[in-house]
């Protein structure tokens, strides 16, 4: 994925430092100047733009220490990107917003922005049940290749990130309200590091030298919802900062889902209010997939086409020209499972008919996306995820780079 030129990045950076984060005037500027880098060019070169009210912005962006610090920050380590609006990796869904961030400070793998994304948010002081449910659902959804977006906060946010990281190949995005060289809360520095090490992404629109303020969190929340196909709220009180993310999602035309709870539980009241306001009531990860089926359908179809092409392509390990090695004759499914039971006696009681059906399906299809397996095996998300995890532990199946599954012979 190509990066912007140094000159273009400098213009966008100068532009971003000349307007406050989330500046409402940015919409007007974009309407008046189809190419906003014109303004950035003026900020870099001092060239006058006829008809523009220069008093609305500071003239010394390039002389600002933050400008040079940002360029140095990007160059200091791999995986750091000044992600401006015209960058090829800038998410289209986010760019479409009237208050889209002019520039994001990104750390990590930008390809995660190409996956379907689900925002998951909730109370910082969440109940044990909500934390457990959040982690479990995020693990199940991440196992399908859905990226989980949250805010690195205590409580539900942390459970969402950790749940995604628990899935084989699971990845997650943390959208933070701090400068790119700071972590809040401080005790989540290790979680932030793990997110990056596991192929995730950390994003912020706040520049180096920025001081964290309470207003930064609700402003940040529009990015969390703006990146995602939908927003899931698993627990929230009234009033709650979590609800600002849900409101942003509704304003952005995105789906909102909420988990109901006991009427006596204060932590359920925010979710009940959202449901009254039109949010979808969800009780399982299957409910979430059903609600996202329309948006995920096109993505899954693209993956199937890619997988079919990959299956048809010859490789060095082919035993017959044009036939992938994975389909070469070998031990039967029954023989492989018997061998696994003998090699792993502690797991033998769990190697059941579901394992056999799944292996037979993968042998027949070669490569299959998770959703395809879910449809043809008539299993729930929890059952299928558990069975795939068991067979992966037994080294009988493996995940492909395209987030599909295949047998190992």
């Amino acid at each position: 994925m190509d990066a912007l030129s140094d000159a273009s990045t400098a213009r966008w950076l100068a532009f971003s430092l000349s307007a406050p984060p989330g500046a409402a005037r940015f919409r007007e500027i974009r309407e008046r100047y189809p190419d906003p880098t014109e303004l950035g060019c003026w900020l870099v070169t001092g060239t006058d733009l006829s008809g523009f009210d220069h008093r609305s912005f500071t003239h010394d962006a390039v002389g600002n220490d933050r400008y040079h610090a940002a360029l140095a920050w990007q160059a200091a380590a791999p995986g750091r990107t000044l992600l401006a609006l015209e960058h090829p990796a800038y998410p289209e869904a986010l760019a479409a917003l009237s208050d889209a961030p002019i520039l994001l400070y990104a750390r990590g793998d930008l390809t995660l922005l190409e996956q379907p994304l689900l925002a998951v948010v909730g109370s910082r002081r969440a109940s044990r049940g909500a934390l457990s449910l959040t982690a479990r659902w995020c693990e199940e959804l991440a196992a399908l290749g859905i990226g989980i977006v949250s805010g690195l906060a205590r409580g539900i946010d942390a459970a969402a990130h950790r749940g995604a990281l628990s899935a084989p190949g699971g990845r997650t995005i943390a959208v933070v309200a701090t400068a790119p060289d700071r972590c809040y809360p401080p005790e989540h520095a290790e979680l932030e590091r793990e997110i990056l090490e596991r192929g995730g992404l950390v994003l912020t629109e706040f520049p180096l030298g920025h001081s964290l303020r309470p207003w930064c969190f609700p402003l940040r929340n529009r990015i969390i919802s703006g990146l995602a196909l939908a927003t899931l709220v698993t627990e929230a009180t009234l009033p709650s900062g979590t609800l600002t993310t849900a409101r942003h999602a509704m304003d952005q035309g995105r789906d909102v889902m909420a988990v109901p709870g006991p009427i006596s539980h204060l932590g359920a009241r925010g979710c009940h209010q959202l449901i009254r306001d039109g949010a979808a009531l969800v009780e399982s990860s299957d409910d979430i997939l059903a609600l996202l089926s329309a948006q995920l359908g096109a993505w899954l179809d693209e993956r199937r086409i890619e997988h079919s092409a990959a299956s048809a392509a010859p490789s060095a390990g082919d035993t017959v020209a044009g036939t992938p090695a994975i389909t070469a004759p070998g031990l039967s499914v029954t023989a492989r499972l018997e061998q696994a039971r003998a090699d792993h006696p502690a797991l033998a009681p769990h190697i059941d008919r579901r394992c056999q059906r799944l292996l037979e399906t993968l042998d027949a299809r070669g490569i299959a996306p998770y959703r395809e397996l879910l449809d043809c095996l008539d299993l729930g998300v929890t059952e299928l995820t558990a069975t795939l995890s068991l067979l992966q532990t037994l080294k009988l199946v493996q995940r492909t780079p395209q987030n599909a599954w295949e047998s190992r012979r």
Side-chain angles (χ1 to χ4, degrees), residues 196-281:
L196 293 171
E197 288 182 350
R198 295 282 299 277
L201 194 58
V202 178
L203 301 173
T204 182
E205 69 175 320
F206 297 102
L208 292 156
H210 163 76
S211 297
L212 183 62
R213 296 287 186 270
W215 55 264
C216 300
F217 295 102
L219 188 62
R220 172 276 312 268
N221 291 347
R222 82 191 192 286
I223 303 175
I224 294 177
S225 59
L227 287 168
L229 296 173
T231 294
L232 169 66
V233 182
T234 54
E235 189 172 84
T237 58
L238 280 177
S240 170
T242 297
L243 300 187
T244 64
T245 308
R247 302 299 180 199
H248 281 307
M250 291 177 175
D251 291 343
Q252 293 161 355
R254 314 292 166 83
D255 289 328
V256 176
M257 310 173 209
V259 180
I263 59 174
S264 59
H265 178 41
L266 294 178
R269 293 186 177 180
C271 290
H272 291 172
Q273 183 61 54
L274 287 173
I275 293 169
R276 281 192 290 269
D277 291 344
L281 186 156

Side-chain angles (χ1 to χ4, degrees), residues 32-52:
R32 293 181 63 180
Y33 298 95
D35 179 6
T37 55
E38 267 191 314
L39 177 60
C41 184
W42 167 72
L43 290 165
V44 172
T45 64
T47 302
D48 182 41
L49 290 178
S50 178
F52 183 72

Side-chain angles (χ1 to χ4, degrees), residues 41-65:
C41 184
W42 167 72
L43 290 165
V44 172
T45 64
T47 302
D48 182 41
L49 290 178
S50 178
F52 183 72
D53 182 5
H54 296 172
R55 294 170 298 177
S56 300
F57 293 88
T58 59
H59 288 214
D60 60 346
V62 177
N64 192 317
D65 289 343

Side-chain angles (χ1 to χ4, degrees), residues 71 91 131 279 307:
L71 294 176
L131 292 173
H307 301 153

Side-chain angles (χ1 to χ4, degrees), residues 66-141:
R66 292 182 178 183
Y67 175 87
H68 298 288
L71 294 176
W73 173 86
Q74 178 179 235
R80 295 181 178 181
T81 307
L82 296 174
L83 191 62
L85 263 168
E86 70 175 17
H87 193 289
Y90 197 100
E92 291 183 12
L94 192 61
L97 304 183
S98 61
D99 56 355
I102 298 168
L103 181 139
L104 291 167
Y105 297 75
R107 286 177 289 157
D109 188 351
L110 296 178
T111 63
L112 179 51
L113 296 170
E114 300 170 7
Q115 292 183 211
L117 302 172
L118 174 70
V120 181
V121 295
S123 175
R124 286 174 170 78
R125 298 180 179 178
S127 64
R128 290 184 180 179
L131 292 173
S132 175
L133 175 146
T134 300
R136 184 173 73 252
W137 288 6
C138 288
E139 179 178 2
E140 292 169 356
L141 294 166

Side-chain angles (χ1 to χ4, degrees), residues 4 8-16 26 36-37 84-86 102-103:
L4 290 179
S8 184
T9 297
R11 291 169 184 170
W12 280 102
L13 175 61
F15 187 14
S16 71
F26 183 48
T37 55
L85 263 168
E86 70 175 17
I102 298 168
L103 181 139

Side-chain angles (χ1 to χ4, degrees), residues 253 392 396:
Q392 189 175 39
L396 294 174

